[in-house]
Amino acid sequence: MFAYTIRRILMLIPVLIGMTIITFSIVHLIPGNPAQVILGENATEEQVEALEESMGLNEPYIVQYGLYVKDLLQGDLGTSLKTKSEISSEIWPYIAATFELTFFAMLFAVFIGVNAGIISAWRQNSWFDFLAMLFALVGVSMPIFWLALMEQWLFAQELGWFPAYGRQDSKDPIAAITHFYVLDSFIHLDFPRVITSLKHLVLPSIALGTIPMAIIARMTRSSMLEVMKSDYIRTVRAKGAGQFLVVYKHALRNALIPVITVIGLQTGVLLGGAILTETIFSWPGIGRYVFDAISFRDYPVIQSGILIIAFIFVIINLIVDLLYSAIDPRIKY
Amino acid sequence: MNVENKKQFSNKKLTNPSPNSPKPNSEEVKAISPWRDAMRQLRKNHFALAGFVIIVFFILLGLVAPLLTPFAFDEQDIINRLQPPSAEHWLGTDHLGRDIFTRIAYGARISLQVGFFAVTGALVVGSILGIVAGYFGRWIDMLISRIFDILLAFPSILLAIAVVAILGASLENALIAIAIINIPIFGRLVRSKVISLREEEYIMAAKAQGMKNGRIILHHILPNSTAPIIVQATLGFGTAILEAAALGFLGLGAQPPDPEWGKMLADARDFIQLAPWTLIVPGVAIMLVVLGFNLIGDGLRDALDPKMKN
Amino acid sequence: MPNPILEVNGLKKYFDLKGGVFGRKVGEVKAVDDVSFTVMEGEILGIVGESGCGKSTTGKSILRLIEPTAGEVKFEDKDITNLNTEEMRKLRRDMQIIFQDPYASLNPRHTVEKIIGEPLLVHGVKSKEERKKRIKELLEVVGLSPYHASRYPHQFSGGQRQRIGIARALANNPKLIICDEPVSALDVSVQSQILNLMQDLRDRFNLTYVFIAHDLSVVKHISDRVGVMYLGRMVEMANKDELYDNPKHPYTQALLSAVPVPDPDAEKDRIILEGDVPSPSNPPSGCAFHTRCPRAMDICKEVRPKFEEQENNHFVACHLYE
Amino acid sequence: ACSGDGSANPDDGEDQDQTEDDNTDDTTDEGEDDASDEEQILVFARGGDSESLDNPSTTDGESSRVTKQIFESLLNFDKESFELTPGLAHDWESNDEGTVYTFYLEEGVTFHDGTPFNAEAVKINFERWADPEHKYAFTEEGYTYPIYGTLFGGYKGDEGHVIEEVNVIDEHTVEFVLNRPLGYFLQNMGMQYFAITSPAALEEYGPTINENPVGTGPFKFVSWSKDDSIVLEKFEDYRIEGLPKLDQVIFQVIPDNAARLIALRSGDIDIMDGLNPDDAAGVESDENLDLYTRAANNFGYLGMNVSKAPLDNKLVRQAINHAVNREAIAEALYAGYAIPATNPLPPGYLGYNDELEGYEYDPDRAKELLAEAGYEGGLEIDLWTMPVARPYMPDPETVAEIIQNDLAQVGITANIVREEWAPYLEKTANGEQELFMLGWSGTNGDPDYFLGSLLHGDSIGGGNRSFYSNDQVNELLDQAKVSIDQEERAELYKEAQRLILEDSPMVTLVHSTPVLAARNTVKNYVPHPSTSESLAEVELSN
Amino acid sequence: MSDVLLELNNLHTHFFTDDGEIPAVDGVSFHVRKGEVVGIVGESGCGKSVTSLSIMQLIPSPPGKIVDGEINFKGENIAKASKKQMRKIRGNEIAMIFQEPMTSLNPLYSIGNQIGEAILLHEKVNKKEARQKSINLLKLVGIPRAEAVVDEYPHQLSGGMRQRVMIAMAMACDPELLIADEPTTALDVTIQAQILDLMRNLNKEKETAILLITHDLGVVAEICERVVVMYAGKVVEEGTAKEILKDPKHPYTQGLIRSLPKIHEKEQKLYSIPGTVPKPGKGKIGCRFAPRCEYAFDRCFQEDPKLLSIGNERYTRCFLYEENVGSENDHAKSNS
Ligand SMILES: Nc1ncnc2c1ncn2[C@@H]1O[C@H](COP(=O)(O)OP(=O)(O)OP(=O)(O)O)[C@@H](O)[C@H]1O
Ligand SMILES: Nc1ncnc2c1ncn2[C@@H]1O[C@H](COP(=O)(O)OP(=O)(O)OP(=O)(O)O)[C@@H](O)[C@H]1O
Ligand SMILES: [Mg+2]
Ligand SMILES: [Mg+2]
Ligand code: NI
């Protein structure tokens, strides 16, 4: 297992190299001059040129790539052109914000999705099944940003149940430690704040989690149905086991393998796809960070941001693979 | 008695045993192709039927749009901006006083076209790459698969945004971006299908007949990979429309005055309190069309997947 | 004395076991390990053995549907192991194969007409008329009706499908047909139809079969000579009557005794072998059978017995006979 | 001398003054006694985050808005205009030629880090901006000081650089020696961009000064969580007794307009910037909310690249000017919170020419002009739309759509082209565009900042994206720039505006008056036209 | 007949599918005595598995359903038993093993866990005891290294071993009846011999009755005492193994036996039954075998033959034997 993990990590190397090449090329294929944006509409030609010079933007690409990789290897993600801060020092809060949101979105998605899927499969063709699957279909068909806006309109504005934006109450900012606010609140033993943080998470988590929830529910259901037809389930029944044992002990674990793939995949998608939700709910996450950087042509931030998201995605896949082996003894390495 | 009889009929016909006695079989001479069978299954699926109805509705809406409304989709009437639904403006007007119903109807054209072209593009390129990777294997497979891996490791919407950033914001470029991010999805699907088919005995049989690779791919592998590809394409239609809407929403897709639904949502965003219908209508339109494709896709999957039959 | 149509010398096929991260080779499955035999023109050579012993691999390697790792395959005195793709493709007119699984070996999206017509087309029968005629002929030969031509495989029963597979193999008048368990998947009542048909066709078209099966009675029924394989190796080969009446290799003896006979009166003195067939990825040293052999000797563990002729055409690989 | 009169509250109800007074007492009394409960915390919500808290190194308005609270410049602007008032310098004088300026600094002022503010600090700051080699210039780390370069004619060693030297006369006197007069030198000194940072902090933080601002302003920096909030707290030793009144100011980022308004309604925030003009009516009718407007200090325009056919034809340009319905745009999109523009200069600026009559909305006249120019059959043209909202153009796309529609009425087919902000600026500077939309916001309140940058021939490749260059106009602007007689300057500018209007290198669209909303508990808040105002005097009532 | 353990009486199990109602089991009756080994033979699709699954009430439902008939187990009709009652019987009194040893075990749980589960479900023992018992059972079915195997997973075992594990699991609660649905079909001959040997021993030692389903007449000859021959959802013949194999009555049984290639005999041509096994379908009249039958006459196509008793526990379903039995038959629809 340990050796396998190490080997899997080694295998990431070519993928990572490919990713650096792609991010680097994307960034440099994007037209537009960061120097120009930094200086704004008021800048003179000389100013733009001088700035380009000082940012090293007129070196040949290959040299720039070399420098980029060299810095990366030293853990240096570069300096944001816009804020002039070290990216490695300013990026963590963004990542934490997105992680926290993704975590709760997936929690919501997995909890509801898996259970709805199980019940649907168990009571195949019942009204619950019908409604759950219709709901799931609608869920995957909805533009998330629209759902987010509608939620905001209904639950924040009209009903006022949940806050409409941000991670915390503006008037009472937290002294962040890990930048996972729920966790931080626990660390501070500030339980009202735990509630507040959770309340802020509700709407964006639902918005973000709806699509994965629907996908997971559908996947769980079909996977369960398939497993329920298998020979070994028949064996369990022949032993005289009741439905509960059959479903939750024998079927679920087998059905979970494809579901885990989906969960892993969706987690990755959420991490990068949260841009829209983050914008609408004013969530200072990595998606927005990168998106803003793209329009600002903040090359180092785009590069590092995309790379980090992709890297996390790859790591999640790794975790999924390792999870397989935990669930399935057949996968041995 | 037995012995005698046995002798009798054991002599009878050994060289050319008739496989079927004509009676029970003569009725069903008609050839039922796997496709027709699937279509039959599909017709019985109410969900799929509903999806079909939705899509046909929007196609018709797009086609006959000019006949349905007296307005042009870009006809402004600033005095009458943000009107709620009324007899004149069935779904109200937007912030420039344009008729929302008209825009939704014309927008159907855009969305359906985006879905179609993006999926077709991704499908063609993805299939070619997938087939090449899957059938020839070795280093080509390694290379193509790694590229797919890498592309898939990037969150699709970010990748699309980056592509649009490179190409410039326009509907065509959004379409290209969506096609690009879908290529690895189709590519992988086709590749895995080809790899599993490659192991099928009938492919081995085709080889044993002395067929060339090209023919095996075209006549044996491709037709048998179509089922999952069609399903994926149908579902991809939906996602492509959603992605186009997301790009439109971010201002990276269709440009004014094109009534692209995601763009309409973006425009309406500031009026959520003043004129909620401007936001609700395009959202519902997107949802319905995507739902339609998903319903059909699901139905097709069930119909084409023999495992789902019962 | 008929000529040998097929000679197999030292045929080996090792499958790489890929594993680890970069798909590196982590071992190999010795699916076929040094097998040699000869098939005469017009003869039926039966090959039996338990599942996984390498029968199919042997068959496919002969046709180079799987590239053999080592060894020589001569067809009509021509070494075909080094032919290029195009030459090999042409040669496939003469060498055909029928598969075990009548469901998997027919393209589900093609009509019978297309399935049978395709080999004709690729081997140069361009005219549609001619092909139609030939398809009709073939269908009749295998006992199907011409109206079946427009149907799809799923509309046929297993036996009928197997007939389609046979028709396809016959399309270009081959000389040699490798039959890879053509009746194993069929019902007993249909199995006999197919066996009869195959025998018939052999006589009619002067075909040569390599007939692979795991059912000893079937092999006995149809073959002229029989080879017994165990774990990728040929352990015994002889004329069928010789082999069945006078098996020499302990494995063959056990195998024959283990076959259940539908005769309640048959005397039962079974040799029940201990244990399982070892894995071909890690075959035992020496004689591969020594782990289960009731008569194993010390030498069996170390030295691999040679496959040698004992008496008139009775080959066996066992230290007992050295 | 620096306290304002606090009359700018839009709700001039009578009880206003009373509550105000009461609360002032309350808070000052209780604020010290039981701190946390009655803490006065103001949340100011805005659409985007600051780029940097080292203001001189950005051009970003969202940065100034925050640094305005932390730093002070030598001079200050009046609450609602660009009139100069004392800042860190309580007095100032210049020689007659306008080449030597002397500033007398406040005494006893300390930075937030406790180090004293003095003439040396002023000198260090100015040299830091002027000299890329300066040890605090942080050029290596990508720092530049573009506004300094623009307003003082470049950097040390550049030909046009105006500031010859900065001399420390004594601890509290500093002297600026210019190599030629600059009409708006004093105006510059009032700008937030030229506020003074603690030299000790520059030493301590080096290039991370952008996240660790230390100034002399009413509030000191506490924390910044990027894209979320910036927290400032009261600077107890502020040089003006009794100020600031708030204990904490929090700048909260809420990108979505609608969400921001929701937050305001629910009381999570106190002031919101960037109110959608359409929502203004709703805010006004809400008794818990107050509506504020910021005086127009900007100018949105539809530029015409005069170097490209058919826009090199004056008749076509005039036709387009007649074709666009400014009133409708101002009315519909700014809900009336905008003034249709005649001149490329906001009204109220020095030298604003209010005698000129702009181009009327007259499609028929436009068609005539087009016909005259030889385009009876109409013409097709690209219309570049900026992708970002700016104060002068809160919804550029919609404006583009309206213009597109207007142009269609006179037979001009405009294709909307969208570029990302970076390439947009770059390409328009290169002259790749035909019609394009852009605007300009004032910073120092001087007309040269508008006219010189936008329409002087020397600014081509920079702010002049219409590629307009009229020798006469250039001449007038040059004269006005070096003159220190404000009367004379005004006349020169008026004449320039007349010529420009005639040449019509741009369709002057609107001067928008951005609207803001606040809870009615917010008192003494006065939006400044420069978009950054000090919150020192603002307080909250319950 | 007090020693009758299981008796099926006119069992009908139908599948309700998109293609209509399929009478997979169409009026099957037979019985199994205590300690007896009864075989059901027939070709693929004739309803053997459905019959056995019906006894266990494990028919996938929908689409399957027992529509008629009785299943008497120890004198009680369990066709109508509640789910709870059935759970008590399953694995405890009637155990079952299946054809596919490769897929019949849950791949994710250890062998010990799965055997132990069968014990825990029916006996009041703790986990430790269950484990010990599992080990004993593994030893009983002749698995070497039982202590180690108990903690291994199915994929680590060969097909033969897995089938032994299945048998061990089935024997966990000493059932009175073991239903084995083609337990050796997927195995090699040498392994099949081992498994058959094992089953024979279990039958002798534990006196467990076995209902063995197979299509291999060789296997029948090997261990069955009595045999039921099925064709297209119906029993066509019943008798002792010897009677069936030596003196088959029904033309189908005769054909089946004659079409087998014999290993110890020499012959030139095989006999073959023409045509193919029909798919069960509703509304077909006449003898199901008639279209393939050499003896068939008009009546065979028009009327369903009844199962005739032609001796002591000897039955056949064929008009050819009607006169032998005489008046016992219903001639209501006699053809003229
Ligand atoms: N493509 C392959 N890759 C790796 N191993 C293979 C491959 N094909 C076959 N083998 C292995 O080679 C051995 C021989 O397989 P083969 O199919 O020739 O057996 P067989 O005698 O035909 O068995 P059966 O009776 O089950 O058809 C088996 O252990 C099998 O697992
Ligand atoms: N789930 C099902 N749905 C529909 N029909 C079914 C189902 N299961 C079985 N049948 C039908 O019941 C008939 C009898 O099937 P059964 O499995 O009992 O055959 P069998 O005698 O066990 O054959 P085999 O030897 O292949 O196992 C088949 O013809 C099949 O069509
Ligand atoms: Mg094989
Ligand atoms: Mg069965
Ligand atoms: Ni003063």
Side-chain angles (χ1 to χ4, degrees), chain B residues 76 78 81 98 251 263 273, chain D residues 265 278 332 397 401 418:
Chain B
Q76 299 177 7
I78 295 191
R81 62 200 295 261
R98 295 174 294 199
K263 183 89 189 59
Q273 319 203 5
Chain D
R265 288 217 155 98
D278 281 303
E397 270 185 7
E401 284 184 76
R418 187 199 150 102

Side-chain angles (χ1 to χ4, degrees), chain E residues 243 308-315 325:
Chain E
E243 285 164 345
L308 307 171
S309 174
I310 51 168
N312 181 30
E313 295 200 330
R314 184 93 175 87
Y315 302 93
V325 209

